[in-house]
Amino acid sequence: MELRDKLVLITGGARGIGRAVVEQCAARGARPAVFDIDADALADLRKALTTDVHTYTCDVADPEQVASQIETLTQQLGPVHVLVNNAGLVHNQLLLNFGPTGLESYDATAWQRVINTNLNAVFYMTATTARQMLATRTRGVIVNISSICAAGNLGQCAYSAAKAGVDALTVTWAKELSRFGIRVVGVAPGFTETDRALSTMSADVIADWKTRTPLRRMATPAEIAAAVTFTIENDFFNGRVLPIDGGLRI
Amino acid sequence: MAEDLDTRLYELLSNLLGLPADEITDESSMKTVRAWDSLKHMELIFALEQTFDLPQLSTDEIVEMTSVERIRTVLREKCACV
């Protein structure tokens, strides 16, 4: 799909990988729209970009907000051609930890939050957007941002499980929606130099991951965004998750 | 023209549902044809719009067009080829 003039909706697009996707889509003449929970970050994005970007404050883990904001967006801008499910969050904790009070389990509230944002939100966004694509006979692309952690990363059980679920959804929805001209694809970044990654990992941990990565460095958000635009523009890429990990295997 | 429409309709249904054309009758429907599930139904709707150059079918029409007889009725109402 050629990106020029297409409406591309990116969740979590105010910063990090999502923001790089916004920038690269805009550079190709697409019309980017962003859902993000952080209204201040959205304001910063609007100020920073030299091209138009349509922003909507939305908690994508809330199905009612998703339905309402997609309705608003499509009324204002028309049908969505590309959805990039990028919004996510990480919680680092072992299943069992020795704490001050003895053996503690992974926090159940954190588990729910991580699954809601990284997995359930992908379902809410895609179900609503794909329905709208079908209703308007719009040929489209759904891009799910997965992670190298889908293979199972120590200390990130909820995030790993959510991303493995996202990979399964990518394959399943490609089988269901391709007949209607809707491709469903995934991109699985390795460790990437986003503010979130740099703030949640210690310097030692970052150094360790760089050492274990054959290319001896982290990805830049722009490198991941380039993979996203590739999956949008290549019309034969479908039902697969493209790893962009510098050769690292977890 | 009506015969031509029937021929094209039966050919389309045969290809999409994987049935010999001579096994398709007016009574063939989502209830009687196992392969005609909800996913196949939407695929059929898209194919009908393209093959017969129809204006976009409404949700009500899509819900109603679950038998060959009903599809033919809608085609005769909407298709410029009749």
Side-chain angles (χ1 to χ4, degrees):
Chain A
M1 172 184 286
E2 188 182 340
L3 272 161
R4 176 161 295 282
D5 297 327
K6 300 298 191 303
L7 180 58
V8 182
L9 173 57
I10 300 127
T11 68
R15 53 167 64 99
I17 291 170
R19 179 166 173 160
V21 174
V22 171
E23 291 168 352
Q24 293 194 16
C25 287
R28 285 167 159 76
R31 296 177 292 141
V34 175
F35 281 7
D36 203 291
I37 198 168
D38 187 339
D40 292 338
L42 287 172
D44 291 343
L45 176 71
R46 288 194 301 272
K47 280 183 203 160
L49 287 190
T50 53
T51 53
D52 279 345
V53 58
H54 303 273
T55 62
Y56 302 82
T57 305
C58 182
D59 177 1
V60 291
D62 178 343
E64 289 181 7
Q65 284 191 43
V66 166
S68 164
Q69 291 295 53
I70 288 180
E71 175 71 18
T72 303
L73 177 145
T74 52
Q75 281 181 1
Q76 292 174 343
L77 304 173
V80 173
H81 299 95
V82 180
L83 167 64
V84 182
N85 283 309
N86 167 74
L89 61 85
V90 175
H91 178 77
N92 298 320
Q93 189 178 8
L94 296 168
L95 177 64
L96 299 173
N97 311 273
F98 283 104
T101 57
L103 199 56
E104 297 169 356
S105 298
Y106 191 101
D107 180 64
T109 304
W111 171 274
Q112 285 296 342
R113 199 172 69 246
V114 173
I115 295 294
N116 279 341
T117 304
N118 294 292
L119 180 61
N120 293 347
V122 173
F123 166 70
Y124 303 144
M125 287 296 303
T126 306
T128 310
T129 306
R131 182 189 174 100
Q132 172 260 336
M133 285 175 174
L134 222 66
T136 54
R137 308 296 189 267
T138 302
R139 302 176 77 82
V141 186
I142 313 286
V143 185
N144 295 326
I145 303 300
S146 177
S147 167
I148 192 172
C149 296
N153 190 29
L154 184 151
Q156 293 186 329
C157 60
Y159 186 72
S160 298
K163 292 301 187 182
V166 166
D167 288 359
L169 293 176
T170 301
V171 176
T172 305
W173 288 337
K175 290 175 181 172
E176 293 181 3
L177 299 175
S178 298
R179 68 195 72 200
F180 307 121
I182 301 170
R183 287 187 295 114
V184 185
V185 303
V187 171
F191 290 90
T192 307
E193 287 174 343
T194 61
D195 292 342
R196 181 180 69 186
L198 296 175
S199 65
T200 55
M201 292 192 289
S202 70
D204 286 348
V205 169
I206 290 172
D208 182 49
W209 280 119
K210 285 181 180 175
T211 303
R212 292 164 63 178
T213 302
L215 286 177
R216 299 287 186 268
R217 67 174 179 86
M218 298 169 82
T220 65
E223 287 171 323
I224 306 304
V228 172
T229 55
F230 163 79
T231 63
I232 296 168
E233 291 176 330
N234 190 312
D235 288 327
F236 204 60
F237 191 77
N238 189 35
R240 293 284 180 268
V241 180
L242 178 64
I244 305 288
D245 52 25
L248 174 66
R249 297 288 182 277
I250 286 186
Chain B
M1 292 292 261
E3 270 183 33
D4 183 46
L5 181 142
D6 278 356
T7 304
R8 290 165 66 196
L9 173 60
Y10 277 47
E11 191 176 292
L12 187 154
L13 288 164
S14 172
N15 287 335
L16 206 63
L17 301 175
L19 288 175
D22 59 6
E23 285 186 19
I24 299 170
T25 67
D26 270 9
E27 286 71 42
S28 299
S29 71
M30 286 185 80
K31 285 184 180 166
T32 64
V33 179
R34 179 178 289 205
W36 193 343
D37 58 16
S38 61
L39 202 56
K40 196 64 85 174
H41 187 61
M42 281 309 299
E43 202 174 347
L44 173 61
I45 295 298
F46 274 51
L48 288 167
E49 288 179 353
Q50 286 179 2
T51 304
F52 295 97
D53 197 22
L54 302 176
Q56 187 176 316
L57 295 163
S58 70
T59 304
D60 287 346
E61 288 167 333
I62 292 170
V63 170
E64 281 182 21
M65 294 167 69
T66 55
S67 72
V68 173
E69 183 181 20
R70 188 62 200 146
I71 290 172
R72 184 188 289 109
T73 303
V74 173
L75 285 181
R76 285 184 173 153
E77 287 168 5
K78 302 206 131 194
C79 182
C81 65
V82 178

